[in-house]
Amino acid sequence: MTGFSRPGWGAAVACVAALMVMPLWLVQAPPMPDYPAHLASYYLIATSAKAPAVTTFYSIHWAWIPNLAGEILVPLLSTIAGLEMATRLFITTGVVMWVVGPALIHRALHKRFNVTALIAALFAYNANFTWGFLNYYFAMGAALCLLAAWIATDGRRTALHLAGFALAITAIYFSHIFAAATLFLLIACFELDGVIRTFSVREVFHRCIAVVVPFVPAGLAFLFLKPKGSGGALEFNLLDRALDRLEAALQLSYDNPSYVLLALLAILLLTGLWRGWIVIHRRMWIALGTLGVLTMFAPEWAMGGWGVDLRLPAVLGALIFASLEFRLEPRATWALTVATTAVLLCNVIYLAQEWTAYDTQWREFRDAARTLKPGTKLLTVLDGDAIGFRSDQPYWHMAEYAIVDPGAFTPLLFTTHDQHIVQLNPAYQSIAASSAQQGSPPDIDELNDLATSQIDEDEDIRDVFPYLMRFQCHYDVAVVIHLDGPRAQIPPMLKLRHVGSFFSLYDIIPQNCGAK
């Protein structure tokens, strides 16, 4: 199959990248579940010294935490572009790298462009993107680009090359540790293939040195600088999470996996391999096989973080198509190119429409939040009966916008010790979530039990919401998310303050707040 010319290749990739970032610029804020919490963290880092009401609750403690991409880049960029513009530029860069990285990998392997590089771009919309796992998404995009550079310099790396790789890998490590670990795996597998194909003692030595040296600074940082408490038990839940892994590979919006598109891509891949239309580059077999196994068996929880099993499926999908080449007649190739472009365009349109609806809701909440007094302590509550089977996760961190606007306090900001540099001041640590396991809001049906510290047989109250015991004595306003469903009975300690289209604000009346 004849590839595009270099100008045509560059233009195609640039157009796809520009197309896929458009939804970010059509809304005030991308409605990713974790986005408001990240934005609030960036705000605290950038401007907390000028916000006394906020510094009452939070403080910044810099540490060598391997999860700092946005925490470093966004506040720096905000001095020029403003906070929310800087955040969108940060996310935009991540999307561009997820598009460009696989294309560069394909180019480095096959020495020309092929439509499969465009197909790989489909995986830029994945669960890490739609959830708002911003640091990992950015760092993994950078890792894909660096992997392309590693492949392109195979057989001609100098000491200067290795020094440059060491610097870039260290930056990726401090951006997100899991992205750096994935990059190490892919590079090691690529070099192992080279050793197997041209085995000699000298070849083994040179390739081992080439792999080890660039990762030495990151390895030393992990051994000696990583916060001591940043470990955590591994939890796999393989059967329960099997479908989530599949869904994570390609999502058009939060909690909306594209089963049809995934099925079509699988059929295209399997049929192409069977009929001989597709050839996977021989240097990537070990990397893809190893990555595939890890994708199936990655834990759900690791190092205190949730959703580890959502990290690799999109990487695997992007690398599979970046590694293969179609051997089709020119007419069939152009037809596939047009079909891929059409699918990309449809995905962008769908995402933009979905985000616009959420963005309207978030704008409404932010307008209401600006009427609150600085220093208000907000508690998010879910009306599960009213929400029904619809997703409630996009609203879990919505209250964190109030940290940015009036200067409020919320218990669900990302302040886990040894995982985030934003920390709670000691006086408020007992009334906020202390781990990712505690990172979801209570249901309105649980408020009465929480108000009286009544655990009974509710495991959530014991394990997920211990910091909310006697919440009415610590919080000022409840943000109740009910969407447009029939609402549950409101507990007596809540007094209506504001009615919105999908949420209501209630003043929390202190009751039974004497000594415990």
Side-chain angles (χ1 to χ4, degrees):
M1 178 243 163
T2 303
F4 290 170
S5 64
R6 287 191 179 185
W9 171 80
V13 173
C15 287
V16 169
L19 181 67
M20 297 193 72
V21 302
M22 283 182 60
L24 288 164
W25 298 92
L26 297 177
V27 295
Q28 179 175 296
M32 305 164 174
D34 284 1
Y35 176 85
H38 284 299
L39 184 70
S41 296
Y42 303 153
Y43 167 76
L44 291 170
I45 296 168
T47 64
S48 60
K50 303 176 183 178
V54 176
T55 54
T56 301
F57 307 121
Y58 306 102
S59 56
I60 309 301
H61 297 273
W62 286 99
W64 297 101
I65 297 171
N67 183 26
L68 295 175
E71 283 75 358
I72 292 175
L73 295 175
V74 173
L76 287 175
L77 187 57
S78 69
T79 60
I80 302 172
L83 182 67
E84 298 198 35
M85 176 68 75
T87 307
R88 276 193 284 182
L89 288 171
F90 174 67
I91 303 172
T92 295
T93 304
V95 176
V96 170
M97 290 191 296
W98 270 82
V99 173
V100 172
L104 291 176
I105 291 170
H106 180 85
R107 172 78 181 173
L109 289 170
H110 298 285
K111 310 306 179 187
R112 60 182 178 272
F113 175 65
N114 189 280
V115 66
T116 52
L118 295 184
I119 298 176
L122 291 166
F123 294 92
Y125 288 167
N126 56 65
N128 303 284
F129 174 71
T130 57
W131 266 95
F133 298 159
L134 301 186
N135 285 347
Y136 170 76
Y137 187 80
F138 178 91
M140 196 63 235
L144 291 172
C145 293
L146 197 62
L147 176 62
W150 184 272
I151 296 171
T153 56
D154 185 40
R156 53 188 182 88
R157 297 185 201 102
T158 64
L160 186 60
H161 282 111
L162 295 182
F165 280 116
L167 182 63
I169 289 167
T170 304
I172 290 174
Y173 167 80
F174 283 111
S175 294
H176 199 283
I177 186 173
F178 196 77
T182 304
L183 178 62
F184 175 76
L185 168 75
L186 295 173
I187 287 178
C189 289
F190 183 80
E191 293 303 314
L192 176 60
D193 181 271
V195 168
I196 293 173
R197 293 182 184 281
T198 56
F199 185 82
S200 69
V201 174
R202 181 178 180 181
E203 187 73 12
V204 171
F205 177 78
H206 284 171
R207 290 191 179 274
C208 286
I209 292 296
V211 171
V212 171
V213 168
F215 284 90
V216 166
L220 293 175
F222 177 78
L223 291 175
F224 299 108
L225 298 179
K226 181 174 64 71
K228 295 180 180 179
S230 58
L234 295 175
E235 293 185 23
F236 288 88
N237 304 320
L238 297 180
L239 292 178
D240 291 342
R241 299 284 294 178
L243 186 60
D244 295 276
R245 296 166 195 266
L246 175 64
E247 294 174 349
L250 201 159
Q251 291 190 1
L252 304 186
S253 63
Y254 167 74
D255 202 28
N256 183 22
S258 182
Y259 293 118
V260 173
L261 184 53
L262 283 170
L264 290 175
L265 291 176
I267 293 171
L268 175 65
L269 179 63
L270 295 175
T271 303
L273 290 172
W274 173 50
R275 298 297 299 271
W277 300 336
I278 290 176
V279 176
I280 296 179
H281 197 282
R282 63 184 186 277
R283 293 296 303 275
M284 296 298 290
W285 276 106
I286 295 177
L288 293 175
T290 304
L291 190 61
V293 171
L294 292 177
T295 298
M296 291 188 292
F297 295 102
E300 179 184 0
W301 291 86
M303 297 184 68
W306 174 81
V308 177
D309 52 352
L310 306 181
R311 314 288 185 178
L312 293 179
V315 179
L316 177 62
L319 282 181
I320 286 175
F321 283 94
S323 302
L324 61 83
E325 188 173 38
F326 279 100
R327 294 181 174 177
L328 300 171
E329 295 296 325
R331 183 177 298 179
T333 299
W334 279 108
L336 185 58
T337 301
V338 171
T340 302
T341 304
V343 170
L344 285 165
L345 180 59
C346 289
N347 288 355
V348 170
I349 293 173
Y350 184 92
L351 181 64
Q353 290 178 336
E354 186 88 356
W355 277 11
T356 299
Y358 278 115
D359 186 53
T360 300
Q361 291 183 331
W362 284 12
R363 286 172 184 256
E364 179 188 349
F365 171 76
R366 297 186 74 174
D367 289 340
R370 292 187 182 100
T371 66
L372 300 174
K373 294 180 180 179
T376 298
K377 295 187 284 295
L378 283 175
L379 173 64
T380 299
V381 181
L382 303 173
D383 186 341
D385 291 338
I387 294 172
F389 292 104
R390 290 170 290 184
S391 297
D392 55 44
Q393 285 88 342
Y395 307 100
W396 285 7
H397 293 289
M398 187 180 72
E400 272 74 273
Y401 278 125
I403 296 174
V404 178
D405 293 322
F409 168 87
T410 73
L412 295 182
L413 184 65
F414 299 145
T415 58
T416 305
H417 185 61
D418 294 326
Q419 293 186 25
H420 303 281
I421 63 171
V422 176
Q423 296 290 300
L424 288 159
N425 289 335
Y428 301 95
Q429 291 177 359
S430 63
I431 63 169
S434 61
S435 66
Q437 288 88 340
Q438 298 177 1
S440 59
D443 191 272
I444 197 166
D445 291 339
E446 296 172 307
L447 292 188
N448 284 322
D449 287 341
L450 287 168
T452 58
S453 298
Q454 186 70 35
I455 297 176
D456 293 333
E457 297 181 359
D458 191 330
E459 295 181 357
D460 281 349
I461 292 180
R462 183 186 68 238
D463 301 331
V464 182
F465 307 123
Y467 62 93
L468 292 180
M469 297 296 187
R470 295 159 61 88
F471 71 91
Q472 75 279 13
C473 304
H474 307 293
Y475 292 90
D476 304 312
V477 174
V479 183
V480 179
I481 309 298
H482 47 65
L483 302 185
D484 56 0
R487 304 174 193 178
Q489 183 176 356
I490 302 300
M493 77 287 296
L494 300 186
K495 180 181 179 181
L496 185 63
R497 175 192 183 104
H498 171 85
V499 178
S501 65
F502 71 101
F503 74 99
S504 295
L505 299 180
Y506 291 85
D507 290 319
I508 300 175
I509 303 171
Q511 296 179 349
N512 303 318
C513 294
K516 294 183 180 180

